[in-house]
Amino acid sequence: MATYEEDHDLPENSISPAPPSASQTRRHRLNLTEFFERAPPAPPSPTHHHPTTTEPHSPAATTDAFRLLASAFTQLDTNTPLMATLIELLRAEAEDPSVRGRVGGGVGVPVGWEDGLERVGRGELGVLGRGEGVCPICNEVFLDDPYPLVVRLPCHPNHLFDLECIQPWLKLHTTCPLDRMQLVKEKPKPPTPQPEEDEEEWDDTYG
């Protein structure tokens, strides 16, 4: 697991700073306590070799999770075309489960998948062009946060998000909210075993 210094692009062995005050924190924060209580459990990681058990999860709870995330995004009041699209999509997924399969929704990324996402440090954030240094979900400048925790999705080098903003989306989807690219590589299927050729019977009349 990454250290605090690694997550926030700070020098090694530096003293962890005190939590930012209310005046230092950014305006938009998602209240997702109920959402995470209702969201379906993450599937096991393909690289996890130990059996895992999860509590049974009802379809109604999953439907509630889509509605709750749509509600939380609405409360952000960011008024961007992307946010309007995401809210509309989440509501459609809540009403019609068949929509989920078409957009990579219904099942989130495997356990621990987010831990492997590339962290983007303050140095790189500081040289981003206009419009690139803003989280597409909360629509706030990354560097307005005194301790930004920004990740890059593997589908495109410019698809950067606040980790706390993209995590709930990845709890319900395996696709990027910007381009709908599949983020989780499917485990290759084992090759189909070929039928063995019948060995020729030994005929002792020869040689």
Side-chain angles (χ1 to χ4, degrees):
M1 181 179 291
T3 64
Y4 182 94
E5 287 80 7
E6 290 171 336
D7 272 344
H8 296 275
D9 196 32
L10 298 171
E12 269 190 53
N13 302 320
S14 64
I15 299 175
S16 297
S21 65
S23 60
Q24 290 176 304
T25 56
R26 294 189 297 170
R27 182 175 68 258
H28 293 140
R29 293 296 178 196
L30 292 169
N31 183 0
L32 295 167
T33 303
E34 190 177 0
F35 164 77
F36 282 112
E37 291 175 352
R38 304 294 287 172
S45 169
T47 59
H48 189 79
H49 300 296
H50 300 287
T52 57
T53 57
T54 56
E55 293 295 325
H57 197 78
S58 71
T62 300
T63 295
D64 287 346
F66 282 98
R67 289 198 183 99
L68 288 166
L69 186 55
S71 176
F73 280 174
T74 301
Q75 291 169 17
L76 285 176
D77 195 28
T78 54
N79 296 322
T80 65
L82 173 65
M83 184 55 68
T85 300
L86 294 184
I87 291 171
E88 182 180 358
L89 176 60
L90 287 165
R91 288 172 175 165
E93 290 178 285
E95 295 298 324
D96 184 357
S98 68
V99 175
R100 303 170 194 171
R102 299 197 293 269
V103 295
V107 177
V109 298
V111 172
W113 187 86
E114 301 102 313
D115 295 341
L117 289 174
E118 179 185 353
R119 266 51 171 178
V120 183
R122 294 183 65 90
E124 183 176 348
L125 294 174
V127 298
L128 292 175
R130 179 174 180 151
E132 295 179 346
V134 174
C135 176
I137 291 179
C138 69
N139 201 37
E140 293 199 3
V141 177
F142 294 126
L143 290 178
D144 282 353
D145 189 327
Y147 309 111
L149 183 46
V150 179
V151 295
R152 174 181 281 116
L153 295 188
C155 53
H156 194 283
N158 291 339
H159 289 185
L160 311 181
F161 297 84
D162 287 316
L163 181 60
E164 69 173 339
C165 289
I166 194 63
Q167 272 185 323
W169 174 267
L170 295 176
K171 188 74 174 168
L172 297 175
H173 304 84
T174 57
T175 54
C176 171
L178 292 175
D179 59 14
R180 302 293 190 275
M181 291 290 292
Q182 182 61 240
L183 300 172
V184 179
K185 293 182 179 179
E186 292 186 7
K187 190 175 180 180
K189 295 180 180 179
T192 305
Q194 298 295 322
E196 295 183 4
E197 295 183 5
D198 294 334
E199 294 184 2
E200 294 184 4
E201 295 184 4
W202 175 257
D203 188 346
D204 57 5
T205 60
Y206 290 94

